């Protein structure tokens, strides 16, 4: 065994994978210790209890799936390219498949509810900012942010519940790129050059 050799980050990653597989009940210290091939004592080197592990895992998810994505997308200078990049990243491959639908399904837990609510507010605010950058007014940008986020959540839920019926939502499916491009085309306005080209053709 690699007792004491597993990092805090490896524990939190294992907790998130377990949560995606089986919900909160699957985040069990003994099970995770076996998965990581360490003793239970390794867990207490990093965490006081299971709740502390859960909170750390949720904070990791918040940082990687929201804060880091926003930082990367904000680095793109062109507003339309920035908007498309956001949806392409968000709706592309998941680092841990099924994690977000699993989190949304467990918001009865106070810690999960708090982080999911905070993430949702942050994402909606950023989406509204992105649409504002495309020239939409405050209310229109907010409405488009709501519609875009609803599409995002629905896309991930289809991956979890209906991969055989709607295989195009799976990143590895041959039709995935075309389906994703179509969805993004429905959510975003055309690129700035498209209306002029159409009008002058």
């Amino acid at each position: 065994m690699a007792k004491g050799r597993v990092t805090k980050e490896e524990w939190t990653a294992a907790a998130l994978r377990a949560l995606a597989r089986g919900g909160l009940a699957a985040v069990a210290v003994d099970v995770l210790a076996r998965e990581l091939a360490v003793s239970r004592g390794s867990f207490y080197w990093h965490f006081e209890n299971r709740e502390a592990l859960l909170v750390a895992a949720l904070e990791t998810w918040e940082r990687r799936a929201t804060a880091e994505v926003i930082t990367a997308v904000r680095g793109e200078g062109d507003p339309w390219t920035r908007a498309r990049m956001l949806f392409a990243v968000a709706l592309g491959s998941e680092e841990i498949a099924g994690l977000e639908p699993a989190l949304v399904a467990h918001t009865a837990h106070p810690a999960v509810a708090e982080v999911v609510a905070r993430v949702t507010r942050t994402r909606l605010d950023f989406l509204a900012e992105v649409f504002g950058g495309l020239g939409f007014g405050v209310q229109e940008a907010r409405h488009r942010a709501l519609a875009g986020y609803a599409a995002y959540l629905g896309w991930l839920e289809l991956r979890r519940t209906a991969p055989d019926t709607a295989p195009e939502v799976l990143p590895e499916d041959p039709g995935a790129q075309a389906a994703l491009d179509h969805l993004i085309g429905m959510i975003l306005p055309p690129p700035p050059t498209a209306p002029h080209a159409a009008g002058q053709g």
Side-chain angles (χ1 to χ4, degrees):
M1 278 196 174
K3 184 176 180 180
R5 301 288 183 178
V6 174
T7 66
K8 181 178 181 179
E9 289 71 26
E10 287 173 302
W11 274 102
T12 56
L16 289 172
R17 290 193 300 269
L19 206 158
R21 287 194 305 267
L24 286 176
V27 184
V29 175
D30 288 336
V31 174
L32 297 181
R34 286 196 296 272
E35 178 184 328
L36 294 169
V38 295
S39 71
R40 187 183 177 89
S42 171
F43 170 81
Y44 292 106
W45 181 261
H46 299 292
F47 304 100
E48 182 179 352
N49 51 38
R50 176 182 177 272
E51 192 70 11
L53 168 62
L54 180 60
V55 169
L58 291 169
E59 289 173 349
T60 296
W61 167 71
E62 179 179 18
R63 184 183 74 253
R64 297 185 68 170
T66 301
E68 291 179 4
V69 170
I70 289 174
T71 298
V73 172
R74 272 204 179 116
E76 170 55 55
D78 176 69
W80 192 88
T81 305
R82 184 188 311 131
R84 198 188 189 292
M85 177 182 175
L86 175 60
F87 283 100
V89 170
L91 293 168
S93 297
E94 297 171 83
E95 185 174 353
I96 301 177
L99 177 57
E100 298 221 6
L103 287 169
V104 171
H106 287 85
T107 51
H109 189 287
V112 177
E114 180 182 348
V115 175
V116 168
R118 188 166 63 237
V119 163
T120 301
R121 283 193 300 270
T122 300
R123 289 175 172 180
L124 286 174
D125 287 347
F126 183 61
L127 275 165
E129 175 188 322
V130 167
F131 282 115
L134 294 173
F136 295 105
V138 174
Q139 186 176 47
E140 176 71 8
R142 170 70 178 181
H143 289 168
R144 284 178 177 266
L146 290 169
Y149 198 59
Y152 165 76
L153 292 177
W155 199 262
L156 296 187
E157 182 65 12
L158 274 175
R159 281 183 186 168
R160 186 179 71 89
T161 61
D164 294 331
T165 306
E168 299 91 340
V169 300
L170 300 172
E172 65 274 14
D173 186 80
Q177 190 60 55
L180 182 56
D181 287 343
H182 183 76
L183 178 66
I184 293 173
M186 293 178 67
I187 295 170
L188 298 180
T193 56
H196 301 293
Q200 294 174 7

